[in-house]
Amino acid sequence: MRQPDGLPPEFLLVPLGGHTAGHAAVAVRDGGRWLLHAGDAYFYHGELRAGEPEPHPMLDIVQTGSQVDAELRLRNRDRLRALVRDHAGEVEVFSAHDPWEFERYGPA
């Protein structure tokens, strides 16, 4: 993790390579929790659920077709899964491509 120059400690960049070279998530502290926008690190919320990751058949085609490093992408997805599992009350993770998460976090 890295704090961007000139921003307060409530903002962090989290390296999550694999989808694209240099890809990073943005974390923002919101009161007592962190919101982690994982960008393109995963495309469907089922990938972060407990147990076996559940890819979405259509979104997975796009995701695997656009990745630059499959092994690194999957390792980072598993890091996110562990973060959600171990720190569910402290951090919320969401993706740029999951339409269900967009609905949950999007404008009212």
Side-chain angles (χ1 to χ4, degrees):
M1 288 186 294
R2 179 175 88 70
Q3 183 180 356
D5 294 336
L7 291 178
E10 292 83 16
F11 295 89
L12 297 172
L13 292 177
V14 181
L16 289 175
H19 174 70
T20 57
H23 182 269
V26 176
V28 177
R29 186 121 176 114
D30 179 36
R33 67 184 173 152
W34 286 93
L35 301 175
L36 180 69
H37 189 306
D40 298 331
Y42 69 95
F43 279 29
Y44 177 60
H45 60 274
E47 295 180 68
L48 300 188
R49 72 182 188 134
E52 277 300 306
E54 178 188 342
H56 186 281
M58 297 306 290
L59 294 173
D60 204 41
I61 291 170
V62 176
Q63 179 170 238
T64 57
S66 63
Q67 67 193 2
V68 296
D69 185 328
E71 184 179 330
L72 181 58
R73 180 184 68 79
L74 293 173
R75 238 185 2 252
N76 281 320
R77 182 209 55 200
D78 291 343
R79 285 175 55 209
L80 292 170
R81 289 178 68 230
L83 181 66
V84 168
R85 179 192 66 226
D86 298 342
H87 300 279
E90 303 165 62
V91 65
E92 288 187 44
V93 179
F94 54 98
S95 157
H97 288 285
D98 187 310
W100 297 273
E101 288 182 341
F102 182 77
E103 181 73 25
R104 183 172 29 149
Y105 290 104

